[in-house]
Amino acid sequence: MTPSTERARRVYAERYDTQPAGVWVAPGRVNLIGEHTDYNDGFVLPFALPHLIAVAAEPSSTGRWTVYSESAGTEATFGVDDLVPGTVDGWAAYPAGVVWALHDGGLRPPPARLVVASDVPVGAGLSSSAALECAVLTALVDLGGLDLPLPRRPSVAQRAENAYVGMPCGIMDQSAATLCRAGHALFLDCRSLDIAHIPCDLAADGTAVLVINTNAPHRHVGGEYAARRATCETATAQLGVAALRDVGLDDLPRALARLDDVARRRTRHVVTENQRVLDTVAALRGNDLPGVGRLMTASHASMRDDYEITVPEVDTAVETALAAGARGARMTGGGFGGCVLALVDADRTAAVAAAVAGTFAARGFAAPEAFVATPHGGATRIA
Ligand code: GLA
């Protein structure tokens, strides 16, 4: 298949009989470690994928925004009056939400005609939603010459998703789609929004991150995600802290003693996961890849046992990858399906992928897909 950038440009030219003013892209992402920590003011360590959503666009004199999705094969049109959360739904809620969030922030995005094409798998936990928001945002900011510096863009895209689409996500995915740098993982403090680009050239060390898409159907994603977030907020209030970020490892036993069983386990995950992110950054900086692997596997156990966001397919993929020689493995993303990351010696990627496929077949699961991921850059104009 031709890349999304080429398809966006070609479909634009075919539909409108003219070339777009430009083409903008934003990537999907995986999260190396730091799950469900972002909305607890904690730490995350994602990197962007080479899988891109592309937007070909041109300003429009109609005063409205027209967005065509190549994959859906449908077009949505909306004007300023339609920019009320809930008015536009389906895939078009993401671009409409971005226009709304820009307006809400006092900016005036230019009316435009946009064509979207995607190479980011949908429903796989690889943040296709954030990639769509950030590609549209980047296009509109550029087309309109809007005063919105890069560091402020993730929160505008997040606001589109929280307040317009209605998904109470944190800021990790939009930050990854916007701020990532090729060859690096993005270490983000979700409270201060400080970032550091951590060199992550695993190939140079003979290692690879194998992404295994379990193709497990996502179950209860929205409701369970919101429930986890609500439990964290209740625990925060009970502990009298601003966010679970403020509970340190030393305070943990005392804090946990004050919570009920569910809140105790959710809190333990968040607090220990924050520490695992810090330890992973130190391990990457120290070139300690076995250490990174151990932290990934510990993170998975915490998501499975304490946060309870895994499903049999992802647990099976992790166990099988480890048994086949992976140095570490964990689910990535919000949970309840999606992808597993395995840290694998570069010459073992095919063997690990085959082992997982074999176990899935034996257990009657849908066939998984696997690819090696190298860290890509964030949203940008490419033409
Ligand atoms: C989803 C959300 C993110 C983050 C992850 C879990 O991807 O969009 O904000 O909370 O889940 O780490």
Side-chain angles (χ1 to χ4, degrees), residues 96-298:
V98 167
V99 173
W100 171 82
L102 285 166
H103 263 267
D104 200 53
L107 294 165
R108 292 291 167 263
R113 203 160 59 180
L114 307 96
V115 168
V116 178
S118 174
D119 287 333
V120 184
V122 174
L126 299 177
S127 283
S128 58
S129 316
L132 176 54
E133 291 152 9
C134 294
V136 169
L137 180 71
T138 311
L140 293 177
V141 166
D142 268 8
L143 281 177
L146 305 184
D147 179 20
L148 188 64
L150 217 53
R152 285 178 37 211
R153 295 183 193 180
S155 47
V156 174
Q158 182 199 14
R159 190 156 157 64
E161 184 143 353
N162 289 170
Y164 199 94
V165 178
M167 160 67 183
C169 63
I171 199 164
M172 170 170 72
D173 303 340
Q174 294 78 8
S175 301
T178 307
L179 304 173
C180 276
R181 186 180 284 177
H184 295 73
L186 181 77
F187 175 37
L188 171 68
D189 177 335
C190 299
R191 169 170 281 169
S192 66
L193 300 184
D194 286 344
I195 61 168
H197 297 285
I198 310 297
C200 189
D201 182 8
L202 299 170
D205 297 308
T207 311
V209 172
L210 183 69
V211 181
I212 303 162
N213 183 353
T214 64
N215 281 321
H218 266 61
R219 308 165 176 112
H220 320 300
V221 196
E224 291 287 354
Y225 187 95
R228 294 300 178 287
R229 206 173 162 153
T231 301
C232 291
E233 278 159 19
T234 306
T236 298
Q238 279 170 347
L239 297 173
V241 290
L244 291 185
R245 150 76 173 272
D246 298 307
V247 181
L249 269 187
D250 296 346
D251 310 332
L252 191 55
R254 226 167 343 138
L256 296 185
R258 296 172 57 192
L259 300 171
D260 70 28
D261 178 55
V262 171
R264 185 177 304 138
R265 286 182 294 125
R266 306 297 189 248
T267 301
R268 185 165 55 202
H269 166 74
V270 172
V271 174
T272 58
E273 184 79 348
N274 273 330
Q275 186 61 45
R276 281 187 289 270
V277 177
L278 300 176
D279 292 346
T280 302
V281 170
L284 278 174
R285 284 182 164 143
N287 230 7
D288 171 16
L289 292 180
V292 173
R294 279 193 297 276
L295 288 157
M296 290 170 68
T297 304

